[in-house]
Amino acid sequence: MANLAVQVAGVSFKNPIIPASGVFGYGREYEQLFPLSKLGGIATKGTTGTPRPGNPAPRIAETPSGMLNSVGLQNPGIDAFIERELPNLLTKDTVILANIAGSSVEECVMVAEKLDDTDVHMIELNISCPNVKQGGAAFGTHCDSAEAITAAVRKATKKPLVVKLSPNVTNIAEIAKAVESAGADAVSLINTVLGMRINIETGRPILRNNVGGMSGPAVFPLAVRMVWQTAQAISIPVIGMGGVSSGADAIEMMMAGANAVQVGAAIFTDAYAPIRILEEMEAWLDAHHIAHVTDIIGGVTPW
Ligand code: SIN
């Protein structure tokens, strides 16, 4: 059997598959279906300084081969996360990436400082949420602001710091270089692609927020392209995500340059998707006599 272990920013993962932030909550529903220890890691729902109710409904819309969401960072706040959710997650023998967000640099710094005093394994700083007016993608769509918030959070924590990037930019590799220079230990990409649906009978947007972030298989080629471009531009590791639905997709993402792979929307149509993807990857590696999954990272040979 192929060895599936990978390293990201000095952290050892038993395999490269990580449910993405926002699709897996804090794992409580899924631990009734399979042992969370089978996962390489878990990225938790974005946590902010204070509880947030999120955006008004409707905040989900279907799209061909994907979905739009405008959840708006609904979460119980950092204190509740640390008291109620993190202790359970830390018993699961898997890497916990605490995804954090905020409306201001100060809020993100405060959340990172609180996590620094815990045993969480990594922090994933979300500078790419398209669904909030303040913070989110406002930080992540310009090199200067991306660099400034990364530098501030870097100072606030010694935990390995992953910065989650927005695809809603002209050149994602430039943003990645900016956060690398500010001290990020890794980047994760892509967050969702800004989109819109309209109910033609009412003339209203389907989402109450008018616009939302698109994910699912339709964005997979965009994600592969951006992972490939980013991995070539920086020296720190890349965690790839965006429409990964099969073991073949995960292999492709790693060939593009990802050291690990997050699985998002696929979990909404198949709750076992992370386990299935892992098994499919393993079968593919064995069929191709590849002894270690790390052998495929960045393995694409461009024409
Ligand atoms: C949300 O809660 O709006 C989704 C988070 C994100 O896209 O970053």
Side-chain angles (χ1 to χ4, degrees):
M1 296 286 268
N3 184 340
L4 290 172
V6 296
Q7 292 255 328
V8 178
V11 177
S12 299
F13 291 68
K14 65 182 74 156
N15 67 63
I17 300 300
I18 306 165
S21 173
V23 300
F24 208 70
Y26 306 105
R28 291 201 186 268
E29 295 79 8
Y30 294 90
E31 68 184 341
Q32 294 166 37
L33 303 180
F34 54 82
L36 301 187
S37 59
K38 288 193 170 192
L39 300 167
I42 298 171
T44 57
K45 175 62 188 166
T47 299
T48 50
T50 50
R52 289 179 63 113
N55 290 334
R59 48 192 200 178
I60 299 284
E62 283 193 48
T63 68
S65 237
M67 61 179 282
L68 288 173
N69 92 80
S70 67
V71 171
L73 296 175
Q74 178 182 343
N75 79 95
I78 186 63
D79 293 337
F81 172 71
I82 290 173
E83 278 157 36
R84 288 196 237 135
E85 302 296 347
L86 189 57
N88 179 53
L89 284 165
L90 290 174
T91 65
K92 301 302 171 192
D93 186 26
T94 188
V95 175
I96 305 302
L97 297 91
N99 183 290
I100 70 168
S103 303
S104 65
V105 173
E106 293 72 27
E107 184 179 357
C108 292
V109 165
M110 181 267 272
V111 174
E113 280 171 351
K114 290 193 175 189
L115 285 167
D116 203 50
D117 293 333
T118 72
D119 290 329
V120 77
H121 304 110
M122 304 181 94
I123 292 177
E124 183 180 54
L125 171 65
N126 183 358
I127 60 169
S128 47
C129 175
N131 302 326
V132 291
K133 288 200 171 57
Q134 286 166 332
F139 293 131
T141 45
H142 297 98
C143 288
D144 291 353
S145 50
E147 190 173 333
I149 190 167
T150 304
V153 172
R154 170 73 294 162
K155 278 203 208 104
T157 178
K158 291 181 286 304
K159 302 283 182 192
L161 179 62
V162 184
V163 180
K164 184 166 178 176
L165 303 182
S166 172
N168 303 306
V169 295
T170 308
N171 188 340
I172 197 168
E174 288 302 315
I175 308 279
K177 283 201 262 185
V179 304
E180 179 182 34
S181 73
D185 297 303
V187 291
S188 56
L189 60 135
I190 57 173
N191 203 328
T192 53
V193 180
L194 198 57
M196 183 177 189
R197 298 296 311 270
I198 297 169
N199 179 334
I200 59 170
E201 300 306 326
T202 63
R204 293 269 199 196
I206 293 175
L207 296 174
R208 185 66 180 72
N209 193 45
N210 298 322
V211 297
M214 183 170 162
S215 56
V219 308
F220 180 66
L222 303 179
V224 172
R225 186 264 296 175
M226 292 193 197
V227 165
W228 178 62
Q229 289 177 327
T230 301
Q232 291 174 86
I234 57 176
S235 311
I236 53 177
V238 174
I239 300 176
M241 79 188 97
V244 172
S245 315
S246 66
D249 291 347
I251 300 273
E252 191 172 333
M253 199 58 107
M254 293 186 77
M255 282 189 179
N259 292 63
V261 177
Q262 292 190 9
V263 178
I267 294 178
F268 292 138
T269 49
D270 173 9
Y272 295 92
I275 305 300
R276 176 179 51 76
I277 289 170
L278 204 49
E279 288 167 359
E280 289 170 2
M281 279 185 95
E282 213 163 12
W284 187 92
L285 292 166
D286 288 344
H288 291 76
H289 309 290
I290 296 172
H292 202 301
V293 71
T294 53
D295 293 344
I296 65 169
I297 297 173
V300 62
T301 308
W303 296 105

